[in-house]
Amino acid sequence: MTPPPEALEAPVSDQAPAPDVMARDDLIAPASEIFNEAAVLAKISKALEERADGATVRQVTVTTLKAEISHGRTLIEDAFERAPLAARPAVVSYAYLTDGVIRTVLHVAQTYLHPNPNPTEGERIAVMAVGGYGRGEMAPYSDVDLLFLNPWKITPWAESLIESMLYMCWDLHLKVGHSSRTVKDCIRLGREDYTIRTALLEHRFLAGDPGIADKLAKKLKSDLFKNTASDFIEAKLAERGERHRKQGGQRYMVEPNVKEGKGGLRDLQTLFWIGKYIHGVQDAADLVKVGLLRQDEYDDFLAAETFLMAIRNHLHIAAGRAMDQLTFDMQVEVARRMGYVDKAGRRAVEIFMQDYFRHATTVGELTRIFLTALEAKHVKQAPSLVNLFRRRRKVNPQYSIKQNRLTVTRLKPFLADNLNLLRIFDEALRTGYLLHPDAMRLISANLHLIDDTMRASPEANRIFLDMLLKRGNPERALRRMNELGVLAAFVPEFAPVVAMMQFNMYHSYTVDEHTIQCISTLAQIERGELVEELPVVSGILKRGVNRKVLYLAMFLHDIGKGRQEDHSVLGAKIARRVAPRLGLKADEVETVEWLVRYHLLMSDMAQKRDISEPRTVRDFAKGVKTQKRLDLLTVVTVCDIRGVGPGVWNNWKAQLIRALYRQTSSALEHGLEAVNREAAEKEAKSALRAALGDWDTKSLRIETSRHYGPYWQGLPSEAHVVFANLLKDIADDEIRIDIKPDEDRDATRVCFALADHPGIFSRLAGALALVGANVVDARTYTSSDGYATAAFWIQDADGAQYESARLPRLQAMISKTFKGEVLPRKSLIDRDKLKKREKAFNVPTSITFDNEGSDIYTIIEVDTRDRTGLLYDLTRTLAEANVYIASAVIATYGEQVVDTFYVKDMFGLKYHALSKQKSLEMKLRNAILEGTKRALDK
């Protein structure tokens, strides 16, 4: 298909070349090397010298452009790899490359496929870039949003032209978002839909008829944007709130969305959109000229934007597709690409993510400042008071209320007393007002006034403690102090953990945010909001504790994180230094230090040890020594676990903590000798007799005499009743199973009764793994007449009760496993794999042997990477080594798991010999290495 000569002489797309065709100095590489439009058109023209049909034209064009796109992308990627923070030149370069491609496609469509040398007035067309592409910024795999603009109703010629362009774009694998509209359509749809209005706000002429583009620009300004700024702002802020909600509502999510998340690129773009809508700014730097930002704030804007853009570009390049979620595996890769290295005991990825969260915090501060500036100009509604009918507290004379926010009346008197940098936060808490951005700016600019003299001031420390103890919602002040840098300035020891990410799947927040979440939980308990959910700790606080000690221990419990030394040990040293400075007495300092040093003790005992074992309770009681310490540690433990993230605290953990608290409290009151097997056995047998009142005396005697001591102390009374019924008249070749939800523990309890034989625990673990059940606790016992009684508590992958609908499949799988129809070792090979995002974690393996923690068992604790077939591999290895497993306690922390086994050798003895311990450890490590390698290779 050869076009007429007149079409070749003056293609419509050349009538008005876009500015981007001109010389560029803002690209990451020379413009002519990224995409030389004239050379590409010449190459296509030469290939089509002879008459060619439409299919050939498209094929030649697509083939040529694919090669040019590949070349341009490679050039940009190579330059970006050499300058990994040159984000703006990179995104502009990708947009420049795309511009060249779209203009070339339009030229081919107009010149070869649908020549129209003398178009009518209605056949004019302008191709516009809109949205992010219209802004002239593109990540490697961003959408190409195009608007085909026509003067009036779209003509058949225009329809054919657009269709041909889109087919070529799709053949080039461009992700095109497109619309074909008239100017009137744009105005009408823009009024109805704020998303469309925002896209039109950033329109950019690419090629075609510039007259239509100019008309659109004028009409948008006069008919759509004028006098609608307030509505647009409210719509954008509502959209922002909904977007944040969908992304988790937190700035400190450990797998943030760089584009859509709180503190991400979209938040910065929203500020720019609003500035452009109101003032017509063409560049973010113009926000300073129109008074919405100060120069230093714009510098922060630019730094955050550059950093976030760089991350997004690296994400796209590393993934080979559009990707904005900074998943764990991508965090490691992006940190490497951006030049981060391990330093001072911290992984490069953790340092990188700390920088990310600091920039995200900056974005939040800029948003507050920006929106308040809009309120001052009366283009955004000021926040309403929390309760118009409630009488607000009168503010101190040195403060005033501006736009319903607290600010400083006179700067010089305020700054003359550096204690005012703390007092203003206390005043905000006392009165219930938010801080005005003017006050925030003043505070941030004068952090240097917080010096050693102020830190040592009794009055300063009194103010700080009053915020923690007297206002009822200390987290509000702490979070704002943290974001403005005051917290790290006043307590310098806190500075290293600000925005510090914990690179694991267990913690949902940064260390500083986790600390504030813990204090928020503590305040909630004190306010009586969690009595039903947390009855034990609510009761402790109601009876009364030293609140000063409790709040300060909560504030300092993780302050030692991020260093090579054990964070509990280092944190205790820091607490010993900080607590006296904050005005605590010697005995209070000692208690705070102890709480920080042992803040994980109760959690570890409850989740990693068998608390039905009397020795566990006795050892824990010896560790805490007093009821006062037990009370304080219990509150710290509960708040710490709840502060890890949504869904971490559950009924299972609650039941473990409550049981350990009650048993330890009893031991401290009645003496450690009261905690013994004999008492537990006697009490359990009495409970069973009462529950089986309809049984005859002989049957009861058989049941109560067939089990050994550990059985009676290790299982709850309801489980004893279940096993009594399962064992009654059981045949030697019979397997009986009882499966019931355990509401109190957020788990499903599975009880098995069958003739005893080696490897039972392992085979049961394998069957459970094959149906996707996670074992959280397990007990196995052998009766004197040769029957095995095994109880497993299982959950699904989300840490909830195993679904009742899946129970028949579970029962069938267990039956097949014991009949030999299914071999777990073979069947688990295909299922035992790690998700891609989990492979980024380094989880060292630790195996310890403890002969002191139990009177009759050796405790083997295996701390390693979690995976589907791990428990089966470990128990199979122990069974093959003739190790008898009495019980297993499983504690999962994200990608890490601690499997604790209470075991004896084949003669019923502990593993005292070091040689036997080493041999077992080697076998367990080999099983872990083999399984992990298999899972990682998939």
Side-chain angles (χ1 to χ4, degrees):
M1 178 186 288
T2 303
E6 55 268 37
L8 288 172
E9 288 171 8
V12 179
S13 59
D14 287 350
Q15 292 173 6
D20 291 339
V21 180
M22 311 305 176
R24 299 287 294 263
D25 60 359
D26 58 345
L27 305 179
I28 202 166
S32 60
E33 294 182 24
I34 294 174
F35 191 88
N36 189 325
E37 191 171 338
V40 172
L41 288 172
K43 191 182 295 184
I44 293 172
S45 179
K46 185 178 180 181
L48 297 174
E49 280 180 351
E50 295 182 10
R51 186 172 295 274
D53 59 19
T56 304
V57 170
R58 284 193 292 270
Q59 189 266 327
V60 167
T61 303
V62 169
T63 301
T64 303
L65 286 177
K66 273 186 177 178
E68 294 298 328
I69 291 171
S70 177
H71 168 77
R73 283 183 180 279
T74 301
L75 194 72
I76 297 170
E77 285 179 23
D78 290 347
F80 190 49
E81 187 176 351
R82 292 191 296 272
L85 291 175
R88 180 156 292 283
V91 297
V92 172
S93 297
Y94 281 117
Y96 174 80
L97 172 62
T98 307
D99 287 353
V101 171
I102 298 300
R103 277 196 294 266
T104 301
V105 167
L106 175 62
H107 174 91
V108 169
Q110 288 183 311
T111 307
Y112 296 97
L113 298 176
H114 307 285
N116 190 2
N118 299 303
T120 65
E121 192 69 15
E123 290 177 327
R124 291 177 300 141
I125 189 169
V127 180
M128 314 283 290
V130 292
Y133 178 37
R135 196 166 52 249
E137 298 171 0
M138 293 188 77
Y141 295 95
S142 290
D143 291 358
V144 180
D145 292 325
L146 297 175
L147 168 62
F148 297 102
L149 193 62
N150 298 269
W152 303 302
K153 183 180 178 181
I154 299 174
T155 64
W157 172 82
E159 276 187 359
S160 299
L161 179 82
I162 293 166
E163 184 179 277
S164 293
M165 284 188 68
L166 290 175
Y167 274 119
M168 283 189 277
C169 287
W170 292 331
D171 288 343
L172 290 168
H173 304 300
L174 297 180
K175 192 177 177 184
V176 179
H178 63 94
S179 57
S180 303
R181 293 174 185 145
T182 65
V183 173
K184 190 179 288 187
D185 290 337
C186 291
I187 303 302
R188 177 177 55 81
L189 293 169
R191 285 198 185 105
E192 297 171 359
D193 190 319
Y194 282 101
T195 302
I196 293 174
R197 192 183 302 194
T198 306
L200 290 170
L201 179 65
E202 298 199 287
H203 69 274
R204 180 168 60 92
F205 176 70
L206 287 177
D209 190 318
I212 316 176
D214 290 342
K215 184 180 178 182
L216 175 66
K218 290 172 184 174
K219 283 289 185 180
L220 287 173
K221 193 172 183 180
S222 62
D223 295 4
L224 186 59
F225 300 160
K226 190 178 180 181
N227 299 324
T228 59
S230 182
D231 292 342
F232 180 78
I233 292 168
E234 296 304 322
K236 286 289 109 182
L237 296 183
E239 182 185 287
R240 170 177 166 266
E242 178 61 18
R243 176 165 43 81
H244 288 173
R245 187 191 64 76
K246 287 181 179 178
Q247 293 297 325
Q250 285 283 344
R251 186 175 296 121
Y252 305 102
M253 302 300 288
V254 291
E255 288 187 293
N257 188 303
V258 177
K259 180 183 176 184
E260 304 287 351
K262 194 170 186 178
L265 276 169
R266 186 67 84 208
D267 282 356
L268 288 175
Q269 289 163 359
T270 298
L271 302 187
F272 175 69
W273 290 333
I274 292 171
K276 186 169 187 176
Y277 198 97
I278 300 167
H279 299 288
V281 300
Q282 296 303 309
D283 187 272
D286 296 335
L287 295 173
V288 178
K289 296 176 186 175
V290 298
L292 292 174
L293 292 177
R294 296 187 321 203
Q295 183 59 46
D296 61 320
E297 291 160 354
Y298 168 69
D299 293 341
D300 291 341
F301 181 108
L302 188 60
E305 183 185 53
T306 300
F307 187 81
L308 295 172
M309 275 184 176
I311 293 174
R312 188 168 184 237
N313 280 350
H314 287 299
L315 268 174
H316 280 221
I317 294 168
R321 59 183 175 85
M323 183 177 186
D324 299 321
Q325 195 84 30
L326 200 47
T327 54
F328 290 123
D329 56 316
M330 281 299 180
Q331 288 171 18
V332 175
E333 175 61 18
V334 172
R336 183 193 66 76
R337 286 172 174 269
M338 292 180 69
Y340 285 85
V341 294
D342 296 352
K343 187 177 181 182
R346 295 183 65 202
R347 290 185 65 183
V349 64
E350 293 173 331
I351 301 169
F352 159 63
M353 289 304 294
Q354 187 168 29
D355 284 349
Y356 170 84
F357 288 118
R358 283 174 172 157
H359 282 296
T361 300
T362 297
V363 174
E365 291 304 308
L366 289 172
T367 301
R368 270 187 288 273
I369 289 165
F370 185 94
L371 296 181
T372 308
L374 290 177
E375 288 167 20
K377 294 175 182 290
H378 306 294
V379 290
K380 176 188 176 294
Q381 294 178 9
S384 60
L385 298 176
V386 175
N387 189 338
L388 291 172
F389 301 102
R390 189 183 71 187
R391 190 173 176 180
R392 304 292 287 210
R393 293 192 176 183
K394 189 176 179 182
V395 299
N396 189 292
Q398 68 176 326
Y399 306 109
S400 56
I401 302 304
K402 182 179 178 182
Q403 296 164 270
N404 289 337
R405 294 185 178 91
L406 188 71
T407 192
V408 176
T409 305
R410 295 167 60 209
L411 300 189
K412 285 188 178 179
F414 179 84
L415 294 175
D417 183 356
N418 57 5
L419 295 186
N420 286 329
L421 293 174
L422 286 179
R423 288 192 184 109
I424 190 170
F425 293 99
D426 189 47
E427 183 72 1
L429 274 188
R430 185 185 70 81
T431 60
Y433 285 105
L434 298 173
L435 288 182
H436 192 280
D438 289 350
M440 295 186 205
R441 285 167 163 166
L442 182 66
I443 293 164
S444 297
N446 289 280
L447 292 177
H448 61 279
L449 296 178
I450 302 176
D451 54 16
D452 288 341
T453 303
M454 177 176 166
R455 294 183 195 105
S457 162
E459 177 63 9
N461 288 294
R462 182 197 65 75
I463 296 168
F464 182 72
L465 287 177
D466 279 358
M467 281 189 279
L468 284 180
L469 302 172
K470 291 188 176 180
R471 305 304 181 199
N473 54 346
E475 72 279 2
R476 213 184 90 200
L478 289 174
R479 188 169 283 116
R480 187 64 71 243
M481 289 171 71
N482 189 38
E483 290 175 347
L484 294 177
V486 175
L487 200 53
F490 186 64
V491 186
E493 295 84 354
F494 194 77
V497 301
V498 172
M500 177 186 285
M501 182 220 187
Q502 303 171 81
F503 190 66
N504 56 56
M505 289 171 62
Y506 181 58
H507 291 90
S508 295
Y509 308 116
T510 53
V511 178
D512 54 339
E513 179 61 20
H514 163 71
T515 299
I516 293 169
Q517 291 279 347
C518 291
I519 290 172
S520 176
T521 298
L522 177 53
Q524 277 185 285
I525 298 168
E526 279 205 306
R527 294 194 298 266
E529 295 173 8
L530 299 173
V531 173
E532 192 173 320
E533 202 174 337
L534 304 174
V536 172
V537 290
S538 295
I540 290 172
L541 294 184
K542 190 173 182 180
R543 290 192 297 273
V545 294
N546 187 322
R547 296 176 65 246
K548 192 186 297 184
V549 164
L550 184 56
Y551 271 92
L552 199 54
M554 203 78 263
F555 176 66
L556 297 173
H557 79 283
D558 273 350
I559 204 166
K561 282 200 167 177
R563 271 60 67 92
Q564 289 177 309
E565 189 175 352
D566 183 316
H567 84 277
S568 298
V569 175
L570 179 59
K573 293 176 184 176
I574 294 171
R576 192 187 314 153
R577 187 167 67 245
V578 172
R581 191 171 79 220
L582 290 171
L584 271 66
K585 300 171 186 173
D587 61 325
E588 293 174 327
V589 172
E590 183 185 349
T591 304
V592 170
E593 182 185 347
W594 183 87
L595 285 169
V596 174
R597 172 65 184 86
Y598 295 105
H599 72 272
L600 295 176
L601 177 63
M602 189 174 201
S603 176
D604 285 348
M605 279 289 189
Q607 296 185 76
K608 299 179 184 179
R609 289 291 182 268
D610 183 353
I611 58 175
S612 68
E613 168 75 51
R615 186 67 171 269
T616 301
V617 178
R618 289 201 301 268
D619 287 350
F620 181 60
K622 287 177 185 176
V624 297
K625 291 186 173 62
T626 66
Q627 184 68 42
K628 181 183 81 170
R629 280 189 172 180
L630 175 62
D631 287 348
L632 290 167
L633 182 59
T634 303
V635 177
V636 167
T637 301
V638 171
C639 292
D640 191 16
I641 296 174
R642 285 180 69 94
V644 167
V648 174
W649 177 263
N650 53 31
N651 284 346
W652 179 260
K653 292 185 177 74
Q655 185 269 339
L656 292 174
I657 298 293
R658 288 170 194 161
L660 183 56
Y661 175 82
R662 283 195 296 266
Q663 292 177 52
T664 307
S665 186
S666 176
L668 292 170
E669 181 181 356
H670 302 294
L672 301 184
E673 63 279 357
V675 184
N676 59 68
R677 295 178 181 280
E678 292 73 20
E681 182 174 344
K682 186 176 179 182
E683 188 178 327
K685 287 181 177 179
S686 296
L688 181 64
R689 291 189 187 99
L692 300 177
D694 56 340
W695 279 35
D696 60 70
T697 305
K698 182 181 178 183
S699 297
L700 271 174
R701 188 172 64 250
I702 291 172
E703 180 58 28
T704 53
S705 61
R706 79 196 315 172
H707 302 290
Y708 298 107
Y711 172 88
W712 297 108
Q713 90 196 27
L715 292 171
S717 296
E718 59 268 23
H720 292 146
V721 175
V722 170
F723 279 120
N725 286 301
L726 291 177
L727 288 168
K728 193 174 186 181
D729 302 323
I730 188 172
D732 288 346
D733 60 349
E734 192 177 0
I735 301 172
R736 291 184 177 179
I737 306 172
D738 178 88
I739 305 176
K740 282 190 174 63
D742 191 334
E743 304 286 350
D744 292 338
R745 306 188 187 202
D746 275 345
T748 298
R749 188 191 65 216
V750 187
C751 294
F752 305 91
L754 65 161
D756 189 29
H757 57 272
I760 279 182
F761 198 113
S762 176
R763 293 172 75 175
L764 290 172
L768 292 169
L770 285 172
V771 292
N774 288 334
V775 178
V776 291
D777 200 357
R779 304 275 189 277
T780 58
Y781 306 99
T782 303
S783 67
S784 59
D785 53 349
Y787 287 99
T789 51
F792 283 73
W793 281 265
I794 61 174
Q795 294 178 331
D796 63 18
D798 297 320
Q801 285 183 24
Y802 197 78
E803 295 174 18
S804 56
R806 298 166 69 188
L807 295 180
R809 180 170 174 253
L810 170 61
Q811 197 146 358
M813 182 62 71
I814 291 165
S815 179
K816 288 179 182 179
T817 302
F818 274 92
K819 289 176 182 176
E821 296 173 12
V822 173
L823 301 175
R825 187 171 188 174
K826 185 178 180 181
S827 301
L828 278 171
I829 288 176
D830 293 331
R831 306 186 191 196
D832 196 6
K833 57 186 176 183
L834 295 174
K835 294 177 182 176
K836 186 179 178 184
R837 62 193 283 268
E838 297 172 1
K839 294 181 180 182
F841 299 106
N842 295 330
V843 185
T845 295
S846 169
I847 300 175
T848 60
F849 290 77
D850 175 11
N851 282 309
E852 303 300 321
S854 171
D855 293 328
I856 58 176
Y857 299 111
T858 292
I859 302 171
I860 303 176
E861 184 179 290
V862 182
D863 187 337
T864 190
R865 180 193 289 271
D866 194 19
R867 55 184 172 80
T868 301
L870 176 67
L871 183 62
Y872 171 71
D873 284 348
L874 295 177
T875 53
R876 174 179 50 79
T877 302
L878 292 173
E880 289 171 355
N882 297 313
V883 177
Y884 168 70
I885 305 171
S887 65
V889 180
I890 292 89
T892 305
Y893 305 90
E895 76 285 356
Q896 178 188 6
V897 67
V898 179
D899 288 352
T900 305
F901 303 99
Y902 284 69
V903 304
K904 296 178 183 178
D905 67 13
M906 61 192 299
F907 303 108
L909 302 174
K910 289 185 177 184
Y911 283 88
H912 284 292
L914 194 59
S915 59
K916 287 186 176 181
Q917 291 182 11
K918 290 291 183 187
S919 174
L920 260 184
E921 180 180 350
M922 184 180 71
K923 290 174 181 176
L924 289 169
R925 283 188 180 276
N926 287 339
I928 291 168
L929 283 171
E930 183 183 321
T932 302
K933 184 178 183 303
R934 184 176 63 238
L936 285 169
D937 287 345
K938 288 178 183 174

